[in-house]
């Protein structure tokens, strides 16, 4: 991942009812990539980097048949359902504009071969062509300030779809100019990156990990905690700490291909939500590292009360761990 620092520019366009974002004047041909999935090929990468339109990784839990799947970038974004995506404070929920495609928003439309796969737009059908969930990982460059990230999903046919679901399960904002979001869904239809307005503008203060790059051992539980104040500075803030029921935690790392990924954790801690320590006024989360590989990871905390916050950590092998160099890199057991 290129760790470049860009200046932030707040870009606001409201999208309600039948309004949508589109390019000014005639739009260039939409980039499109087709890949083949099979019982032995469950993951494909749709790399639109040459046109500045990001990178989308599509992964099926289980593939039952062989089929093709086409992803097409669309710069006209489907409408938002105001019951799901906040409309206030102004400008409300906005799409994320990409840095290197002329500051346009990107929607990713899915289609297939209707003669083979019979879902909406010819996409594969659950329990016929595949089983389980589909995991999407989207990376892109942006100079837009992100408040509350959302991974919008517009179920149904491409021509009539409305964004009515937020499928976000993971988010990495390090560096902020090169974020990555992850989400899961049962079936394929249009997706796009959005930014929701903050419900408050509180002061975020890290408690633990106490410093950037702190080192832990594989298998060790890491306390991730923070305090939130109405205003002011973190050091010796005289204000009363705030409980945040909306805060979520995400853990990410970089794979051998340079892609930001969200490794599955063996323990699913209550939907990645934080607990409230009333005595100390701290929002806390016990992060299990059991089953993770040694390496560098990024912890990202995001909420409707503050913009995403991140901190890098390093995991070292625990005592007795054996590390081997395999074709896919170094693996430790």
């Amino acid at each position: 991942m290129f760790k470049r620092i860009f200046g932030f520019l707040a870009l606001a366009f409201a999208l309600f009812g039948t309004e949508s974002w589109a390019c000014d004047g005639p739009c260039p041909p939409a980039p499109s990539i087709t890949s083949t999935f099979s019982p032995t090929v469950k993951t494909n990468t749709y790399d639109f980097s040459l046109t500045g339109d990001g990178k989308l990784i599509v992964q099926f839990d289980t593939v039952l048949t062989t089929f093709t799947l086409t992803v097409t970038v669309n710069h006209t974004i489907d409408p938002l359902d105001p019951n799901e995506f906040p409309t206030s404070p102004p400008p409300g929920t906005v799409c994320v504009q990409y840095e290197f495609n002329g500051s346009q928003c990107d929607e990713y439309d899915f289609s297939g071969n209707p003669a083979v796969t019979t879902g909406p737009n010819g996409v594969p059908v659950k329990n016929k062509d595949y089983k389980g969930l589909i995991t999407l990982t989207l990376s892109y460059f942006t100079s837009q300030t992100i408040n509350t990230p959302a991974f919008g999903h517009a179920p149904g046919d491409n021509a009539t779809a409305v964004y009515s679901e937020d499928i976000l399960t993971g988010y990495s904002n390090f560096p902020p100019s090169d974020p990555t979001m992850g989400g899961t869904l049962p079936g394929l239809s249009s997706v796009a990156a959005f930014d929701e307005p903050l419900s408050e503008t509180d002061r975020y203060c890290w408690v633990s990990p106490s410093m950037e790059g702190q080192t832990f051992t594989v298998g060790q539980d890491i306390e991730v905690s923070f305090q939130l104040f109405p205003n002011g500075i973190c050091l010796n803030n005289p204000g009363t700490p705030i409980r945040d029921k909306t805060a979520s935690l995400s853990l990410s790392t970089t794979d051998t291909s340079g892609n930001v990924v969200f490794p599955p954790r063996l323990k699913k801690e209550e939907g990645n939500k934080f607990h409230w320590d009333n005595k100390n006024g701290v929002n806390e989360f016990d992060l299990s590292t059991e089953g993770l590989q040694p390496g560098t990871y990024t912890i990202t905390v995001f909420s409707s009360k503050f913009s995403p916050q991140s901190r890098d950590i390093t995991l070292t092998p625990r005592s007795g761990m054996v590390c081997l160099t395999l074709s896919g890199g170094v693996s430790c057991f």
Side-chain angles (χ1 to χ4, degrees), residues 94-222:
V94 297
C95 64
V96 175
Q97 295 183 316
Y98 289 16
E99 179 75 13
F100 300 118
N101 70 350
S103 298
Q104 298 180 95
C105 297
D106 276 13
E107 172 177 291
Y108 301 90
D109 294 333
F110 298 93
S111 59
N113 183 354
V116 178
T117 46
T118 58
N121 312 300
V123 299
V125 177
K126 187 174 183 178
N127 297 325
K128 177 185 176 184
D129 301 302
Y130 67 93
K131 293 194 302 183
L133 294 174
I134 305 164
T135 300
L136 303 180
T137 305
L138 174 62
S139 299
Y140 49 88
F141 285 94
T142 184
S143 60
Q144 184 171 334
T145 299
I146 300 301
N147 297 297
T148 303
F151 201 172
H153 176 226
D157 186 88
N158 289 340
T160 59
V162 173
Y163 283 99
S164 58
E165 297 175 351
D166 182 4
I167 62 170
L168 186 71
T169 57
Y171 187 78
S172 174
N173 75 325
F174 189 79
S177 60
D178 186 11
T180 298
M181 52 176 51
T184 57
L185 66 174
L188 289 170
S189 49
S190 301
V191 295
F194 292 97
D195 176 40
E196 298 179 353
L198 293 174
S199 61
E200 301 175 14
T201 53
D202 298 316
R203 177 69 173 182
Y204 180 95
C205 302
W206 280 105
V207 175
S208 177
S210 59
M211 65 182 69
E212 185 74 28
Q214 196 167 341
T215 299
F216 301 90
T217 302
V218 169
Q220 179 180 355
D221 282 352
I222 302 174

Side-chain angles (χ1 to χ4, degrees), residues 33-46:
I33 298 175
T34 299
S35 297
T36 300
F37 291 83
S38 70
T40 58
V41 180
K42 299 185 294 183
T43 303
N44 273 301
T45 298
Y46 295 81

Side-chain angles (χ1 to χ4, degrees), residues 315-332:
L315 291 184
T316 59
R318 65 185 170 199
S319 178
M321 227 175 186
V322 177
C323 297
L324 301 175
T325 301
L326 305 175
S327 59
V330 178
S331 294
C332 299

